[in-house]
């Protein structure tokens, strides 16, 4: 059974999953260390000046178009190696920084041929690309426009809560201004005290019960949810802190970090069992009110959802079993919102390996989704990505929803 949280306990009808009434995230405790000032905070007034600088830089030295080569062989977020020191600058949140074109160094013919051959390999690894090869652009957070009466819901696998808050996360939230933000892979330990939170939001974290620095999800909402539900009533998955449900007046919102099938598919059976249990849980929720499900789903559904489908068919995230399960889920009355608005768009990825300058070359996977009950889709007016917001190996995704 999912664990009960502080507050008045209740139960989601028919699910067996414990809920609690919402409580606002407390501020830092007295005596805790004062956090350093956001190193990447950019005043809103400076956006225009920065954008003009970006245009001049782009005119002076336009960045080369990204090329699509072999995709990383495994999109295992749980087991991914830490990025090398040379790649650390790549994982810096970009909110409004003038575009800096990467000057491509001329390589000897022999070295260039070797590099080209490496790009054709389908194994994750090799040299880490130069940090400044990643395309850096100013993100216009006013596009697409959010109309009156709509809310913006964001989902982002941040690859570590403590890491992302040191990379300009507060600035991103200020500029994006989501009404709700769902976070995955927080890597918060159960015993860890929260020293950072989002002012103006009601928040809820779920950490794994045993593993430190692993998995974990969170939801922050400007509107106080009616209740929070931890887990899906499936012990093996709930102990890893993979799902939170926030209940609102006329819908449920799920933030999930779906189990990965693992290298050499060692945990594929576990993934298959999770998929079955999760579908049961969501359909019980939907019997009460419609559902918005978001997060890192660890599956590229179709061949246009990853850079190299041909050689990844037996790799985690693109197996027939995982893709068929996602198709089965959609067939029960749900819609992949991004494909609803962008049915044929290619190269629209949300995950890139830290290795081999994959993001700079746009060698990626679409692993992050907003999946919406069919009856709610008329209220969804936009579904999109923020590929130039860095800080993680995933980028934020968002929908606009008529409240």
């Amino acid at each position: 059974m999912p664990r009960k949280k502080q507050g008045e306990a209740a139960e989601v009808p028919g699910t067996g999953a414990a809920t609690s009434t919402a409580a606002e995230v407390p501020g830092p405790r007295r005596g805790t260390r004062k956090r350093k000032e956001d190193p990447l905070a950019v005043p809103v007034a400076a956006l225009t000046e920065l954008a003009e600088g970006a245009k001049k830089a782009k005119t002076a030295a336009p960045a080369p178009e990204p090329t699509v080569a072999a995709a990383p062989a495994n999109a295992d977020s749980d087991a991914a190696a830490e990025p090398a020191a040379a790649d650390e600058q790549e994982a810096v949140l970009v909110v409004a920084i003038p575009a800096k074109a990467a000057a491509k160094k001329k390589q000897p013919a022999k070295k260039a041929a070797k590099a080209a051959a490496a790009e054709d390999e389908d194994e994750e690894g090799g040299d880490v690309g130069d940090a400044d090869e990643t395309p850096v652009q100013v993100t216009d957070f006013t596009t697409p426009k959010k109309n009156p009466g709509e809310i913006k819901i964001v989902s982002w696998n941040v690859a570590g809560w403590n890491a992302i808050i040191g990379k300009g996360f507060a600035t991103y939230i200020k500029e994006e201004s989501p009404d709700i933000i769902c976070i995955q892979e927080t890597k918060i330990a159960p015993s860890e005290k929260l020293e950072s939170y989002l002012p103006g939001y009601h928040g809820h974290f779920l950490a794994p019960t045993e593993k430190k620095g692993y998995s974990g999800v969170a939801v922050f909402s400007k509107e106080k949810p009616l209740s929070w539900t931890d887990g899906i009533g499936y012990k093996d998955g709930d102990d890893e802190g993979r799902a939170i449900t926030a209940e609102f007046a006329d819908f449920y919102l799920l933030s999930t970090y779906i189990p990965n099938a693992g290298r050499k598919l060692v945990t594929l059976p576990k993934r298959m069992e999770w998929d079955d249990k999760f579908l049961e849980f969501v359909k019980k929720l939907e019997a009460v009110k419609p559902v918005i499900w978001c997060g890192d789903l660890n599956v590229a559904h179709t061949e246009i959802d990853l850079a190299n489908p041909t050689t990844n068919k037996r790799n985690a995230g693109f197996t027939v079993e995982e893709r068929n399960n996602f198709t089965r889920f959609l067939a029960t009355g749900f819609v992949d919102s991004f494909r609803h608005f962008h049915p044929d768009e290619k190269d629209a990825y949300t995950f890139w390996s830290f290795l081999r300058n994959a993001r700079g070359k746009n060698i990626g996977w679409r692993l992050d989704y907003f999946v919406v009950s069919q009856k709610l889709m008329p209220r969804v007016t936009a579904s999109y990505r923020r590929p130039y917001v860095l800080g993680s190996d995933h980028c934020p995704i968002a929908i606009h929803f008529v409240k």
Side-chain angles (χ1 to χ4, degrees):
M1 294 288 291
R3 295 174 289 118
K4 295 181 180 179
K5 290 294 173 184
Q6 185 177 5
E8 184 178 351
E11 183 172 307
V12 176
T15 66
T19 70
S20 62
T21 54
E24 187 167 2
V25 177
R29 295 184 304 164
R30 185 176 298 174
T32 55
R33 290 184 300 172
K34 185 178 180 180
R35 294 202 56 80
K36 295 181 180 179
E37 185 178 352
D38 185 345
L40 294 177
V42 180
V44 176
L47 289 174
T48 302
E49 180 182 348
L50 289 168
E52 290 300 321
K55 291 179 182 178
K56 292 179 181 179
K58 187 174 181 180
T59 302
E65 290 292 325
T67 57
V68 177
N74 190 289
D76 189 349
S77 300
D78 290 341
E82 290 296 321
D87 197 46
E88 288 178 355
Q89 285 181 298
E90 185 178 5
V92 173
L93 180 67
V94 174
V95 174
I97 296 178
K100 179 180 178 182
K104 203 154 189 177
K105 298 178 181 178
K106 189 174 181 180
Q107 295 180 332
K110 186 175 180 180
K111 187 175 181 180
K114 184 178 179 181
E119 290 180 2
D120 290 335
E121 295 176 0
D122 192 48
E123 294 183 0
E124 189 179 51
D127 295 335
V128 176
D130 294 335
D132 63 356
E133 290 180 13
T134 298
V136 177
Q137 296 187 13
V138 174
T139 296
D140 181 1
F141 292 103
T142 65
T143 303
K145 180 181 179 181
K146 189 179 80 169
N147 298 312
E150 294 179 348
I151 62 172
K152 180 190 293 186
I153 308 177
V154 167
S155 176
W156 193 7
N157 179 326
V158 297
W161 172 256
N162 290 327
I164 200 67
I165 60 175
K167 296 175 181 175
F169 184 68
T171 304
Y172 166 69
I173 293 299
K174 179 180 179 181
E175 301 302 334
E176 185 74 83
S177 189
D179 296 280
I180 305 173
I181 180 165
C182 300
I183 302 294
Q184 300 88 41
E185 204 173 359
T186 60
K187 300 183 179 180
I188 294 290
S191 60
E192 200 166 349
K193 303 298 181 183
L194 298 180
E195 295 184 0
S196 296
Y197 65 105
L198 302 182
Y201 290 82
H202 303 274
H204 188 75
F205 278 81
L206 176 63
T209 57
E210 298 179 358
K211 288 187 178 182
K212 182 179 179 180
Y214 176 80
S215 191
V217 289
V219 177
F220 294 93
S221 176
K222 289 180 179 178
E223 176 186 337
K224 188 176 182 179
L226 301 177
S227 68
W228 302 104
T229 302
D230 291 348
I232 63 171
Y234 169 51
K235 186 179 185 305
D236 287 349
D238 294 349
D239 286 349
E240 296 179 352
R242 292 190 175 275
I244 288 176
T245 304
E247 180 186 5
F248 295 92
D250 59 349
F251 69 96
Y252 288 109
L253 173 66
L254 281 80
S255 174
T256 61
Y257 180 41
I258 304 301
N260 191 282
R263 298 183 185 277
K264 298 184 179 180
L265 306 180
V266 294
T267 55
L268 182 59
K270 174 183 175 182
R271 169 61 184 269
M272 296 295 98
E273 186 172 1
W274 164 277
D275 287 350
D276 290 340
K277 299 294 184 181
F278 184 75
L279 178 58
E280 291 176 10
F281 175 76
V282 174
K283 294 307 290 184
K284 288 176 181 178
L285 288 180
E286 200 184 31
V288 180
K289 59 183 75 174
V291 173
I292 298 174
W293 168 34
C294 68
D296 177 358
L297 309 193
N298 264 318
V299 62
H301 186 211
T302 67
E303 292 197 351
I304 63 171
D305 292 322
L306 73 165
N308 192 350
T310 304
T311 55
N312 278 292
K313 290 183 178 178
R314 290 311 296 168
N315 286 324
F318 198 60
T319 64
V320 171
E321 295 91 333
E322 293 164 295
R323 295 164 62 199
N324 283 349
N325 273 3
F326 190 58
T327 299
R328 175 169 62 106
F329 187 97
L330 296 178
T332 66
F334 289 87
V335 178
D336 174 352
S337 65
F338 183 82
R339 285 296 171 218
H340 175 81
F341 290 99
H342 315 277
D344 303 313
E345 184 175 341
K346 298 181 179 180
D347 306 328
Y349 309 128
T350 65
F351 165 85
W352 303 262
S353 169
F354 280 125
L355 302 176
R356 298 169 60 188
N357 191 32
R359 195 160 190 170
K361 299 171 184 176
N362 199 25
I363 303 171
W365 301 58
R366 189 172 75 97
L367 301 179
D368 303 83
Y369 298 75
F370 273 95
V371 178
V372 180
S373 293
Q374 285 180 350
K375 63 184 69 175
L376 283 182
M377 273 308 298
R379 295 165 60 183
V380 178
T381 61
S383 183
Y384 55 96
R385 309 168 301 130
R386 295 293 194 202
Y388 295 108
V389 174
L390 309 183
S392 169
D393 48 1
H394 294 250
C395 73
I397 61 173
I399 62 169
H400 293 178
F401 178 70
V402 177
K403 190 67 169 65

